[in-house]
Amino acid sequence: MSIDLSVLDLVPVPSGTAPSQAVRDSIDLAMLAESHGYKRYWISEHHSMPAIASSSPEVLLSRIGALTERIRIGSGGIMLPNHAPMRVAEHFRTLEALYPGRVDLGLGRAPGSDMRANRALHARSGEHFAEMLDEMRSLSEDRYAADHPYAGVKVVPEDVPLPPIWILGSSGASADMAGAGGYGYSFASHFSPMPAEPALERYRYAFEPSAQFSQPHTILGVSVICAPTDEEAEELAATVDLMWLRLRKGQFLPLPSPAEAHAYSYSDIECNAIKENRARHIIGSPETVRAGLEDVASRTRADELMIVSNIHDAEARLRSYALVADALST
């Protein structure tokens, strides 16, 4: 079966690696993704997390856009409650002006941070997401009435449109809004414990065509670790096991190496939790990964799979993405 593949880069920071190097490593990943036929390269937004260096997706996207030619670039996503809606519109219209027809604006309502960082960002509650989205679009499309306080405010540059908007979800709560608004919809199966199928179906059922999307389009985030053999992939996956366990405890430490993960003393309860979490990941050789991705694509009817690979070694991470692309192209 033919499956469109894309990349979601969290800009993970491996232990022993400077965060600034992790940012630069994302450039290598984006260039590899383009050379291997990936459709999109998206960057997430997180704050105050030593494990993740994706605090400024717009800045990194600007650099990556200049170094690539064809691959679509975008946010996966911008956490809208962290920002003034007009500022998001300005940033992404500027990106659209620089790289016309190649930019996506993925939006989420989660904070992407802990409560202290949330306050430091002067962020609003996710409950205001729909209101802020409407404000961003109203400003971009000059829809405010003459008596509105924002009437006449211009989002510059004016001669380019806002890029296609994608709504990100991890629970299904935003699926109806995404469909009714005629947006694209991306579901985060790479970390969500919720099944993707009901949310994707709700989105399709609610979908109303729009100027940006004439028909529904779904993207499924999938965690993948691929290596030449199943055994090597399992070794690399030890990183994900300890990383996930730490996240559950609110510990946002750099990505552990497999050696660090093996040195950790797991309790029986932790081992059982890790075993359950493994169901959200596809781990193995190219043949194993291909079978897993084809299965999830068939079950969910996703239009596109967006691959997340949290691997400690930068070269092994690049190799994983290359192997996945090659496996699905044959």
Side-chain angles (χ1 to χ4, degrees), residues 67-116:
L67 295 173
T68 55
E69 296 178 357
R70 300 175 305 280
I71 194 168
R72 295 190 67 89
I73 58 173
S75 55
I78 294 296
M79 300 297 108
L80 188 56
N82 292 345
H83 308 276
M86 181 172 173
R87 208 66 188 105
V88 175
E90 290 175 332
H91 286 157
F92 277 81
R93 273 199 174 183
T94 300
L95 286 169
E96 181 67 22
L98 290 170
Y99 312 112
R102 291 180 55 201
V103 181
D104 296 319
L105 174 51
L107 298 171
R109 62 178 185 170
S113 61
D114 62 22
M115 293 309 298
R116 291 175 302 169

Coordinates of all heavy atoms in Angstrom, one line a residue, residues 67-116:
L67 N 17.4 25.9 3.5 CA 18.3 24.9 3.1 C 17.7 23.7 2.4 O 18.3 22.7 2.0 CB 19.0 24.3 4.4 CG 19.9 25.4 5.1 CD1 20.4 24.8 6.4 CD2 21.1 25.7 4.2
T68 N 16.3 23.8 2.2 CA 15.6 22.7 1.5 C 14.9 23.4 0.3 O 14.8 24.6 0.2 CB 14.6 22.0 2.4 OG1 13.8 23.0 3.0 CG2 15.4 21.2 3.5
E69 N 14.3 22.5 -0.6 CA 13.7 23.1 -1.8 C 12.2 22.6 -1.9 O 11.4 23.4 -2.5 CB 14.5 22.7 -3.0 CG 15.9 23.3 -3.0 CD 16.6 22.8 -4.3 OE1 16.1 22.0 -5.0 OE2 17.8 23.2 -4.5
R70 N 11.9 21.4 -1.5 CA 10.6 20.8 -1.9 C 9.8 20.4 -0.7 O 8.6 20.6 -0.7 CB 10.8 19.6 -2.7 CG 11.5 19.8 -4.0 CD 11.8 18.5 -4.8 NE 12.5 17.5 -4.0 CZ 13.9 17.6 -3.8 NH1 14.6 18.5 -4.4 NH2 14.5 16.7 -3.0
I71 N 10.4 19.9 0.4 CA 9.6 19.4 1.5 C 8.8 20.5 2.2 O 9.3 21.7 2.3 CB 10.6 18.7 2.5 CG1 9.8 17.9 3.5 CG2 11.4 19.7 3.2 CD1 10.6 17.0 4.4
R72 N 7.6 20.2 2.6 CA 6.8 21.2 3.3 C 7.3 21.3 4.7 O 7.7 20.3 5.3 CB 5.3 20.7 3.3 CG 4.6 20.7 2.0 CD 3.1 20.5 2.1 NE 2.5 21.7 2.8 CZ 2.0 22.8 2.1 NH1 2.1 22.8 0.8 NH2 1.5 23.8 2.7
I73 N 7.3 22.5 5.2 CA 7.8 22.8 6.6 C 6.7 23.4 7.4 O 5.8 24.1 6.9 CB 9.0 23.7 6.5 CG1 8.7 25.0 5.9 CG2 10.2 23.0 5.8 CD1 9.8 26.1 5.9
G74 N 6.6 23.1 8.7 CA 5.6 23.6 9.5 C 5.7 23.3 11.0 O 6.7 22.7 11.4
S75 N 4.7 23.7 11.7 CA 4.7 23.5 13.1 C 3.8 22.4 13.5 O 2.7 22.2 13.0 CB 4.2 24.8 13.8 OG 2.9 25.2 13.3
G76 N 4.3 21.6 14.5 CA 3.5 20.5 14.9 C 3.4 20.4 16.4 O 3.8 19.4 17.0
G77 N 2.9 21.4 17.1 CA 2.4 22.6 16.5 C 2.8 23.8 17.3 O 3.5 23.7 18.4
I78 N 2.4 24.9 16.9 CA 2.4 26.1 17.7 C 1.3 26.0 18.7 O 0.2 25.8 18.4 CB 2.2 27.4 16.8 CG1 3.4 27.6 15.9 CG2 2.0 28.6 17.7 CD1 4.7 27.9 16.5
M79 N 1.7 26.2 20.0 CA 0.7 26.2 21.1 C 0.0 27.6 21.2 O 0.6 28.5 21.9 CB 1.3 25.7 22.4 CG 2.0 24.4 22.3 SD 0.8 23.0 22.0 CE 1.2 22.6 20.3
L80 N -1.1 27.7 20.5 CA -1.7 29.1 20.3 C -1.9 29.8 21.6 O -1.7 31.0 21.7 CB -3.0 28.9 19.5 CG -3.6 30.2 19.1 CD1 -2.6 31.1 18.3 CD2 -4.9 29.9 18.3
P81 N -2.3 29.2 22.7 CA -2.5 29.9 24.0 C -1.3 30.6 24.6 O -1.3 31.4 25.4 CB -3.1 28.9 25.0 CG -3.8 27.9 24.1 CD -2.9 27.8 22.9
N82 N -0.1 30.2 24.0 CA 1.2 30.8 24.5 C 1.5 32.1 23.8 O 2.4 32.8 24.1 CB 2.4 29.9 24.2 CG 2.3 28.6 25.1 OD1 1.6 28.6 26.1 ND2 3.1 27.6 24.7
H83 N 0.7 32.5 22.8 CA 1.1 33.6 21.9 C -0.1 34.6 21.7 O -1.3 34.2 21.8 CB 1.5 33.1 20.6 CG 2.6 32.0 20.6 ND1 3.9 32.3 20.8 CD2 2.5 30.7 20.7 CE1 4.6 31.2 20.8 NE2 3.8 30.2 20.8
A84 N 0.2 35.8 21.3 CA -0.8 36.7 20.7 C -1.1 36.2 19.3 O -0.3 36.0 18.5 CB -0.2 38.1 20.6
P85 N -2.4 36.0 19.0 CA -2.8 35.4 17.7 C -2.2 36.2 16.5 O -1.8 35.6 15.5 CB -4.3 35.5 17.8 CG -4.7 35.3 19.2 CD -3.6 36.1 19.9
M86 N -2.2 37.5 16.6 CA -1.7 38.3 15.5 C -0.2 38.0 15.3 O 0.2 37.9 14.1 CB -1.9 39.8 15.8 CG -1.4 40.7 14.7 SD -1.8 42.4 14.9 CE -0.9 43.2 13.6
R87 N 0.5 37.7 16.4 CA 1.9 37.4 16.2 C 2.2 36.1 15.4 O 3.1 36.0 14.6 CB 2.6 37.4 17.6 CG 4.0 37.8 17.6 CD 4.3 39.2 17.3 NE 5.8 39.4 17.2 CZ 6.4 39.5 16.0 NH1 5.8 39.6 14.9 NH2 7.7 39.7 16.0
V88 N 1.3 35.1 15.8 CA 1.4 33.9 15.0 C 1.1 34.1 13.6 O 1.8 33.6 12.7 CB 0.5 32.8 15.7 CG1 0.5 31.5 14.8 CG2 0.8 32.5 17.1
A89 N 0.1 34.9 13.3 CA -0.3 35.1 11.9 C 0.9 35.8 11.2 O 1.2 35.5 10.0 CB -1.5 36.0 11.8
E90 N 1.5 36.8 11.8 CA 2.6 37.5 11.2 C 3.8 36.6 10.9 O 4.4 36.6 9.8 CB 3.1 38.7 12.1 CG 2.1 39.8 12.2 CD 2.5 40.9 13.2 OE1 3.2 40.5 14.2 OE2 2.2 42.0 13.0
H91 N 4.1 35.7 11.9 CA 5.3 34.8 11.7 C 5.0 33.9 10.5 O 5.9 33.7 9.7 CB 5.5 34.0 13.0 CG 6.1 34.7 14.1 ND1 5.9 34.3 15.4 CD2 6.9 35.8 14.2 CE1 6.6 35.1 16.2 NE2 7.1 36.1 15.5
F92 N 3.8 33.3 10.5 CA 3.6 32.3 9.4 C 3.3 32.9 8.1 O 3.5 32.3 7.0 CB 2.6 31.3 9.9 CG 3.2 30.3 10.8 CD1 3.5 30.5 12.1 CD2 3.6 29.1 10.2 CE1 4.1 29.6 12.9 CE2 4.2 28.1 11.0 CZ 4.5 28.4 12.3
R93 N 2.8 34.1 8.0 CA 2.7 34.8 6.7 C 4.1 35.2 6.2 O 4.3 35.1 5.0 CB 1.8 36.1 6.8 CG 0.3 35.8 6.7 CD -0.4 37.1 6.3 NE -1.8 36.9 6.0 CZ -2.6 37.9 5.7 NH1 -2.1 39.1 5.5 NH2 -3.8 37.6 5.4
T94 N 5.0 35.5 7.1 CA 6.3 35.8 6.7 C 7.0 34.5 6.2 O 7.7 34.6 5.1 CB 7.2 36.4 7.9 OG1 6.5 37.6 8.3 CG2 8.6 36.6 7.5
L95 N 6.8 33.4 6.9 CA 7.4 32.1 6.3 C 6.8 31.8 5.0 O 7.5 31.3 4.1 CB 7.1 31.0 7.3 CG 7.9 31.0 8.6 CD1 7.4 30.0 9.6 CD2 9.4 30.6 8.3
E96 N 5.5 32.0 4.8 CA 4.8 31.8 3.5 C 5.4 32.7 2.4 O 5.5 32.3 1.3 CB 3.3 32.0 3.7 CG 2.5 31.7 2.4 CD 2.5 30.3 2.0 OE1 2.7 29.4 2.8 OE2 2.2 30.0 0.8
A97 N 5.7 33.9 2.8 CA 6.3 34.8 1.8 C 7.7 34.3 1.4 O 8.1 34.5 0.2 CB 6.4 36.2 2.4
L98 N 8.4 33.8 2.3 CA 9.8 33.3 2.0 C 9.7 31.9 1.3 O 10.6 31.7 0.4 CB 10.5 33.1 3.3 CG 11.0 34.3 4.1 CD1 11.5 34.0 5.5 CD2 12.0 35.1 3.3
Y99 N 8.8 31.1 1.6 CA 8.7 29.7 1.0 C 7.3 29.4 0.6 O 6.6 28.6 1.1 CB 9.2 28.7 2.1 CG 10.5 29.1 2.8 CD1 10.5 29.5 4.1 CD2 11.7 29.2 2.0 CE1 11.7 29.9 4.7 CE2 12.8 29.6 2.6 CZ 12.8 30.0 4.0 OH 14.0 30.4 4.6
P100 N 6.9 30.1 -0.5 CA 5.5 30.0 -0.9 C 5.0 28.6 -1.3 O 5.8 27.9 -1.9 CB 5.4 31.0 -2.1 CG 6.8 31.2 -2.5 CD 7.6 31.0 -1.3
G101 N 3.9 28.2 -0.7 CA 3.3 26.9 -1.0 C 3.9 25.8 -0.3 O 3.6 24.6 -0.6
R102 N 4.8 26.1 0.7 CA 5.5 25.0 1.4 C 5.3 25.0 2.9 O 5.8 24.1 3.6 CB 7.0 25.1 1.1 CG 7.5 24.8 -0.3 CD 9.0 25.0 -0.4 NE 9.7 24.2 0.6 CZ 11.0 24.4 1.1 NH1 11.6 25.4 0.7 NH2 11.5 23.6 2.0
V103 N 4.5 25.9 3.4 CA 4.4 26.1 4.8 C 3.0 25.6 5.4 O 2.0 25.8 4.7 CB 4.5 27.6 5.2 CG1 4.5 27.8 6.7 CG2 5.9 28.1 4.6
D104 N 3.1 24.9 6.5 CA 1.9 24.5 7.2 C 1.9 25.1 8.6 O 2.9 25.3 9.2 CB 1.9 23.0 7.5 CG 1.9 22.2 6.2 OD1 1.1 22.6 5.3 OD2 2.6 21.2 6.1
L105 N 0.7 25.5 9.1 CA 0.5 26.0 10.4 C -0.3 25.1 11.3 O -1.5 25.0 11.2 CB -0.2 27.4 10.3 CG -0.6 28.1 11.7 CD1 0.6 28.1 12.6 CD2 -1.2 29.5 11.4
G106 N 0.4 24.2 12.0 CA -0.2 23.3 12.9 C -0.4 24.0 14.3 O 0.5 24.6 14.8
L107 N -1.6 23.9 14.9 CA -1.9 24.6 16.1 C -2.4 23.6 17.2 O -3.2 22.7 16.9 CB -3.0 25.7 15.9 CG -2.7 26.8 14.9 CD1 -3.9 27.6 14.6 CD2 -1.6 27.7 15.5
G108 N -2.0 23.8 18.4 CA -2.4 23.0 19.5 C -2.9 23.9 20.6 O -2.6 25.1 20.7
R109 N -3.6 23.4 21.6 CA -4.1 24.1 22.7 C -3.4 23.8 24.0 O -3.7 24.4 25.1 CB -5.6 24.0 22.9 CG -6.1 22.6 23.2 CD -7.6 22.5 23.3 NE -8.0 21.2 23.7 CZ -9.3 21.0 24.1 NH1 -10.2 21.9 24.1 NH2 -9.6 19.8 24.5
A110 N -2.5 22.8 24.0 CA -1.8 22.4 25.2 C -0.7 23.4 25.5 O -0.3 24.1 24.6 CB -1.2 21.0 25.1
P111 N -0.3 23.5 26.8 CA 0.8 24.5 27.1 C 2.2 24.2 26.5 O 3.0 25.1 26.3 CB 0.8 24.6 28.6 CG 0.2 23.2 29.0 CD -0.8 22.9 28.0
G112 N 2.5 22.9 26.4 CA 3.8 22.5 25.9 C 4.9 22.9 27.0 O 6.0 23.1 26.6
S113 N 4.5 22.9 28.2 CA 5.4 23.3 29.3 C 4.8 23.0 30.7 O 3.6 22.6 30.7 CB 5.7 24.8 29.2 OG 4.5 25.6 29.4
D114 N 5.5 23.2 31.7 CA 4.9 23.1 33.1 C 4.3 24.4 33.5 O 4.4 25.4 32.7 CB 5.9 22.6 34.1 CG 7.1 23.6 34.3 OD1 6.9 24.8 34.0 OD2 8.1 23.2 34.8
M115 N 3.6 24.5 34.6 CA 2.9 25.7 35.0 C 3.8 26.9 35.2 O 3.4 28.0 34.9 CB 2.0 25.4 36.2 CG 0.9 24.4 36.0 SD -0.1 24.8 34.5 CE -0.8 26.3 35.1
R116 N 5.0 26.7 35.7 CA 5.8 27.8 35.9 C 6.2 28.5 34.6 O 6.2 29.7 34.5 CB 7.1 27.4 36.7 CG 6.8 27.0 38.2 CD 8.1 26.5 38.8 NE 8.6 25.3 38.1 CZ 9.8 24.8 38.3 NH1 10.6 25.3 39.2 NH2 10.2 23.8 37.6

